[in-house]
């Protein structure tokens, strides 16, 4: 197991918020993993509320940024997606019947057969000495027997997709092991390897997508590649290229994928 501090707690407002409180009150923290059984105020990307499901994995990891090139810090969020995707894929390898398609939807949702099972929120924090940290929150629908309506995209759980329960804590520690190793790779300047790992598992690339800007406007394009700082490069119909870093992106073929399953 990688070198990090681990704690499991019963109830918290948000694992990200709690870890940031601890960082803000400290004079230095090592890589730390916090897993909660329940959140009362979970948050998702772009200000969305993270709706808890029974049996969800609710975790956050604080990663000290000392030694990481500042230009590479945006890749932290992508490394978290790689780690979550790899851990869930490892579950499939544990049982040969688990054959459904798993992949990353840019920037960091994990989908299985077109259904969202995990989301990631990365935030910044500083300790009392001025040290910088990334706080990465990961929520995975693991053992939920039902998914609430009102989500921003169709979702499911590992239990619903595979008809069995999973060990949430074991899954969380697999993710933490992988993420700490990837963070060490960033410190070593292996950003090109990170981009390749991400791109190889990104189901958005090579697809027709709809981009929804912050102002609500929409347009269609083709997802081409991931650039050196994790942005999605899309090609417009007229051939113009655009780098996207903050918009919502939907993949047109996912509706058909869900209907087949």
């Amino acid at each position: 197991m990688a070198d990090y501090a681990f704690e499991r707690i019963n109830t918290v407002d948000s694992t990200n918020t709690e870890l940031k409180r601890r960082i803000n009150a400290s004079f230095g923290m090592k890589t730390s993993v916090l897993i909660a059984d329940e959140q009362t105020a979970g948050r998702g990307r772009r200000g969305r509320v993270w709706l808890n499901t029974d049996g969800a994995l609710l975790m956050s990891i604080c990663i000290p940024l000392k030694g990481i090139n500042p230009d590479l810090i945006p890749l932290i969020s992508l490394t978290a997606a790689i780690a979550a995707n790899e851990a869930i894929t490892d579950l499939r390898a544990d049982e040969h019947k688990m054959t459904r398609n798993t992949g990353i939807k840019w920037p960091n949702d994990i989908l299985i057969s077109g259904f969202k099972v995990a989301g990631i929120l990365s935030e910044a924090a500083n300790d009392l000495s001025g040290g910088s940290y990334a706080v990465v929150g990961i929520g995975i629908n693991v053992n939920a027997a039902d998914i609430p309506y009102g989500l921003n995209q169709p979702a499911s759980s590992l239990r619903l997709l595979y008809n069995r329960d999973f060990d949430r804590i074991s899954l969380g520690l697999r993710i933490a092991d992988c993420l700490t190793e990837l963070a060490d790779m960033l410190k070593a300047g292996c950003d090109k390897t990170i981009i390749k790992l991400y791109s190889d598992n990104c189901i958005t690339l090579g697809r027709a997508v709809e981009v929804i800007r912050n102002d609500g406007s929409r347009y269609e394009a083709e997802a081409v590649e991931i650039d050196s700082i994790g942005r999605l490069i899309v090609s417009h119909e007229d051939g113009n290229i655009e780098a996207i870093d903050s918009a919502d992106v939907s993949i047109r073929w996912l509706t058909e994928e869900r209907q087949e399953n």
Side-chain angles (χ1 to χ4, degrees), residues 159-186:
R159 178 183 178 186
L160 288 171
L161 290 166
Y162 297 119
N163 197 32
R164 55 161 286 196
D165 285 341
F166 296 88
D167 185 329
R168 294 179 299 123
I169 304 306
S170 175
L171 176 61
L173 295 180
R174 286 192 190 200
I175 293 171
D177 286 345
C178 184
L179 182 50
T180 52
E181 291 174 5
L182 291 168
D184 286 342
M185 290 175 62
L186 280 182

Side-chain angles (χ1 to χ4, degrees), residues 105 109-111 114-116 150-155 249 254 258:
K105 175 180 172 288
D109 288 342
I110 309 302
L111 273 59
F115 292 92
K116 179 177 176 177
L151 302 177
N152 65 303
Q153 68 181 70
V249 174
L254 284 180
R258 287 188 291 263

Side-chain angles (χ1 to χ4, degrees), residues 24-192:
N24 293 341
S26 75
F27 281 96
M29 287 181 63
K30 65 182 292 185
T31 301
S32 301
V33 179
L34 182 66
I35 295 180
D37 294 324
E38 180 185 24
Q39 283 187 147
T40 59
R43 294 172 289 115
R45 288 182 62 242
R46 300 169 68 82
R48 297 187 179 104
V49 174
W50 173 266
L51 297 178
N52 286 351
T53 60
D54 291 337
L57 171 61
L58 307 167
M59 66 181 293
S60 291
I61 305 175
C62 99
I63 301 173
L65 297 178
K66 183 178 180 180
I68 297 179
N69 184 328
D71 293 338
L72 302 183
I73 290 175
L75 298 183
I76 290 288
S77 184
L78 271 63
T79 63
I82 295 169
N85 185 70
E86 182 172 307
I88 292 172
T89 301
D90 284 347
L91 292 179
R92 290 173 48 199
D94 291 343
E95 184 174 333
H96 69 279
K97 293 180 181 179
M98 298 174 65
T99 57
R100 294 176 182 267
N101 296 325
T102 304
I104 305 167
K105 175 180 172 288
W106 184 88
N108 47 27
D109 288 342
I110 309 302
L111 273 59
I112 301 177
S113 295
F115 292 92
K116 179 177 176 177
V117 297
I120 295 169
L121 174 66
S122 298
E123 301 179 292
N126 294 285
D127 65 22
L128 291 172
S129 65
S132 299
Y133 301 79
V135 178
V136 181
I138 302 172
I140 302 180
N141 297 327
V142 180
N143 294 325
D146 187 32
I147 300 295
Y149 291 102
L151 302 177
N152 65 303
Q153 68 181 70
S156 190
S157 71
L158 300 183
R159 178 183 178 186
L160 288 171
L161 290 166
Y162 297 119
N163 197 32
R164 55 161 286 196
D165 285 341
F166 296 88
D167 185 329
R168 294 179 299 123
I169 304 306
S170 175
L171 176 61
L173 295 180
R174 286 192 190 200
I175 293 171
D177 286 345
C178 184
L179 182 50
T180 52
E181 291 174 5
L182 291 168
D184 286 342
M185 290 175 62
L186 280 182
K187 291 178 183 178
C190 300
D191 49 300
K192 291 182 179 178

Side-chain angles (χ1 to χ4, degrees), residues 207-248:
R207 305 288 185 177
V209 297
E210 182 181 46
V211 179
I212 307 170
R213 298 184 186 275
N214 295 334
D215 62 6
S217 61
R218 300 168 179 249
Y219 64 88
E220 293 187 355
E222 180 184 356
V224 178
E225 64 178 338
I226 306 298
D227 75 4
S228 62
I229 57 173
R231 297 179 300 182
L232 179 66
I233 305 301
V234 300
S235 174
H236 293 260
E237 192 173 281
D238 61 7
N240 286 331
I241 299 296
E242 179 183 4
I244 299 171
D245 58 8
S246 63
D248 274 337

